[in-house]
């Protein structure tokens, strides 16, 4: 008896993620944006499909709007296993030990949504997910959220307009660099703190997509927004590998099916969601939208170009070479 109980203790101790056959598996899915955004809707779609395909054997608890964890905490929580699934912006992956994801933040990298989507389905997306292996994290999907705009209390049309502005960024050193190239002072801050920081003047400006501006009301505390599309915002849906590998193969397959369908859904609505959000921001009359002329865009691109050279030291030549090949670009 004592031997049996010792064996059981050892088995339980060494297989902490194995689940009893009939216990309901709970997946806590934490994210920082509103439900009414491409990511928010994608998470709810995944919940609906995952619970359906597993016949209720899995329950997905979605925690939007930083209601469970803020940016940095949620990454730590995933590593510790106190949350099982996240979909952070890839700009926030350096704390996982994978700075290479920041290559996706290079300014003016993707010329349109279709180019972005093809890149993530191809070698770029696969190569980056392989980098997560060995970090205890498994990448399941890439979710789109379109292109960044940028805003402040004054119109941002020429690089000189950025001089001395404190700009909130989400975490990427590549974004830090391109804002420095423009003469501004970037500052990393959790997403949940941005509205108040803009309102009280802790920072002067920020970058984000229309759906995030609208749902966080950033446009109500920024007098001028430039619809610049200077960089792209995408998410990687990630899980704790020990948790994921501890599920039965059947259950994983059902969840993968749900994730694939939720991904197609999210990526199919992202562009329209952002167009609608932009129209709503415009109709609100609470801010002024600006669009760059060709000459102005050229001046921004030239001002930000040094980021490409600088990025080699940050993300490494290998991912830059893959991106250059896949997107048919000359980087130097
Ligand atoms: C941000 O922090 O600006 C974004 O990454 C938030 C998000 O998840 O869209």
């Amino acid at each position: 008896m004592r031997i049996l109980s010792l064996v059981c203790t050892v088995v339980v101790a060494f297989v902490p993620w194995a689940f009893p056959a009939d216990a309901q598996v709970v997946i806590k899915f934490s994210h920082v944006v509103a439900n009414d955004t491409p990511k928010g809707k994608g998470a709810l779609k995944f919940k609906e499909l995952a619970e359906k395909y597993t016949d209720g054997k899995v329950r997905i608890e979605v925690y939007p709007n930083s209601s469970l964890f803020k940016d940095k905490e949620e990454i730590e929580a995933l590593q510790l296993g106190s949350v099982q699934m996240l979909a952070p912006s890839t700009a926030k992956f350096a704390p996982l030990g994978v700075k290479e994801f920041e290559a996706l933040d290079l300014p003016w990298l993707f010329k349109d949504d279709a180019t972005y989507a093809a890149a993530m389905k191809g070698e770029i997306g696969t190569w980056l997910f392989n980098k997560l292996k060995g970090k205890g994290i498994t990448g399941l999907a890439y979710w789109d959220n379109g292109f960044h705009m940028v805003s402040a209390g004054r119109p941002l049309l020429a690089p000189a307009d950025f001089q001395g502005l404190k700009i909130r960024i989400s975490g990427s050193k590549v974004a830090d660099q391109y804002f420095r190239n423009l003469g501004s002072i970037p500052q990393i801050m959790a997403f949940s703190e941005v509205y108040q920081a803009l309102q009280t003047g802790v920072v002067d400006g920020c970058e984000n997509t229309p759906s995030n501006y609208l749902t966080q009301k950033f446009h109500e505390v920024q007098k001028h927004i430039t619809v610049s599309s200077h960089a792209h915002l995408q998410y990687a849906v990630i899980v704790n590998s020990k948790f994921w590998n501890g599920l039965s193969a059947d259950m994983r397959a059902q969840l993968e099916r749900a994730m694939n369908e939720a991904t197609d859904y999210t990526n199919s609505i992202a562009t329209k969601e952002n167009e609608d959000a932009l129209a709503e921001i415009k109709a609100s009359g609470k801010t002024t939208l600006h669009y760059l002329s060709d000459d102005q865009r050229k001046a921004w691109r030239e001002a930000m170009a040094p980021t490409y050279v600088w990025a080699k030291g940050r993300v490494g030549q290998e991912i830059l070479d893959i991106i250059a090949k896949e997107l048919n670009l000359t980087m130097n």
Side-chain angles (χ1 to χ4, degrees):
M1 191 61 195
R2 278 194 55 194
I3 291 180
L4 182 65
S5 103
L6 186 67
V7 169
C8 288
T9 309
V10 168
V11 168
V12 169
F14 282 91
V15 194
W17 296 89
F19 299 99
D22 50 357
Q24 191 183 42
V25 173
V26 176
I27 296 183
K28 291 189 174 148
F29 186 163
S30 163
H31 68 79
V32 300
V33 297
N35 277 329
D36 195 14
T37 56
K39 176 161 65 181
K41 290 184 176 181
L44 292 174
K45 176 62 80 179
F46 172 68
K47 170 182 168 63
E48 174 200 321
L49 296 173
E51 290 177 356
K52 181 167 138 199
Y53 294 155
T54 61
D55 258 336
K57 291 195 188 66
V58 175
R59 190 172 83 239
I60 312 290
E61 294 177 358
V62 178
Y63 297 91
N65 256 327
S66 312
S67 54
L68 192 59
F69 295 111
K70 296 203 271 186
D71 302 289
K72 215 154 77 58
E73 289 88 338
E74 72 173 15
I75 300 260
E76 284 161 13
L78 185 75
Q79 290 172 309
L80 292 171
S82 40
V83 66
Q84 289 72 37
M85 187 173 282
L86 306 176
S89 136
T90 55
K92 297 175 184 170
F93 275 45
L96 286 171
V98 279
K99 293 181 279 195
E100 292 86 346
F101 279 86
E102 291 180 11
L104 303 174
D105 300 321
L106 281 165
W108 318 100
L109 183 66
F110 301 113
K111 73 173 189 300
D112 50 31
D113 272 318
T115 311
Y116 156 77
M120 302 321 285
K121 280 203 181 116
E123 199 188 336
I124 299 173
T126 312
W127 189 91
L128 286 170
F129 271 169
N130 280 339
K131 281 275 148 191
L132 288 175
K133 288 186 184 153
K135 307 280 179 198
I137 303 292
T138 301
L140 297 181
Y142 291 102
W143 286 3
D144 188 4
N145 192 12
F147 288 93
H148 280 296
M149 319 193 286
V150 61
S151 62
R154 63 185 189 222
L156 301 171
L157 295 170
D161 298 331
F162 284 83
Q163 197 60 45
L165 291 182
K166 284 176 272 158
I167 304 278
R168 180 268 173 178
I169 57 168
S170 67
S172 168
K173 290 283 181 206
V174 167
D176 178 283
Q177 195 62 26
Y178 65 65
F179 277 122
R180 281 183 201 282
N181 291 158
L182 294 173
S184 55
I185 306 149
Q187 205 168 302
I188 295 176
M189 183 182 289
F191 187 61
S192 55
E193 288 161 18
V194 180
Y195 175 85
Q196 213 190 351
L198 291 170
Q199 191 187 36
T200 56
V202 169
V203 290
D204 304 304
C206 66
E207 62 172 356
N208 233 302
T209 60
S211 58
N212 278 343
Y213 269 85
L214 180 69
T215 51
Q216 302 298 322
K217 301 191 183 357
F218 295 164
H219 65 295
E220 295 185 6
V221 285
Q222 293 279 266
K223 288 202 169 66
H224 295 274
I225 298 178
T226 303
V227 188
S228 49
S229 303
H230 61 279
H232 197 270
L233 176 56
Q234 58 284 317
Y235 310 113
V237 185
I238 51 178
V239 282
N240 180 302
S241 304
K242 274 193 207 156
F243 165 78
W244 191 245
N245 297 332
L247 300 173
S248 72
D250 272 359
M251 191 174 274
R252 257 200 321 273
Q254 289 152 353
L255 292 175
E256 270 162 11
R257 178 178 168 210
M259 181 54 68
N260 289 341
E261 290 177 26
T263 297
D264 287 346
Y265 165 79
T266 309
N267 292 342
S268 76
I269 63 167
T271 304
K272 175 83 167 45
E273 289 280 317
N274 278 302
E275 281 167 7
D276 290 351
L278 189 58
E280 212 175 307
I281 289 169
K282 188 170 180 200
S284 76
K286 292 190 166 144
T287 187
T288 305
L289 296 181
H290 302 274
Y291 291 83
L292 297 177
S293 68
D294 288 347
D295 283 349
Q296 285 165 339
R297 190 174 309 102
K298 188 161 170 275
W300 286 41
R301 290 184 72 139
E302 279 170 12
M304 291 173 167
T307 295
Y308 276 75
V309 179
W310 178 90
K312 282 182 206 175
R314 173 76 181 166
V315 301
Q317 190 67 47
E318 201 179 344
I319 183 63
L320 294 178
D321 286 346
I322 293 169
I323 290 176
K325 184 176 93 203
E326 292 285 300
L327 302 186
N328 212 4
L329 297 175
T330 316
M331 288 239 185
N332 301 315

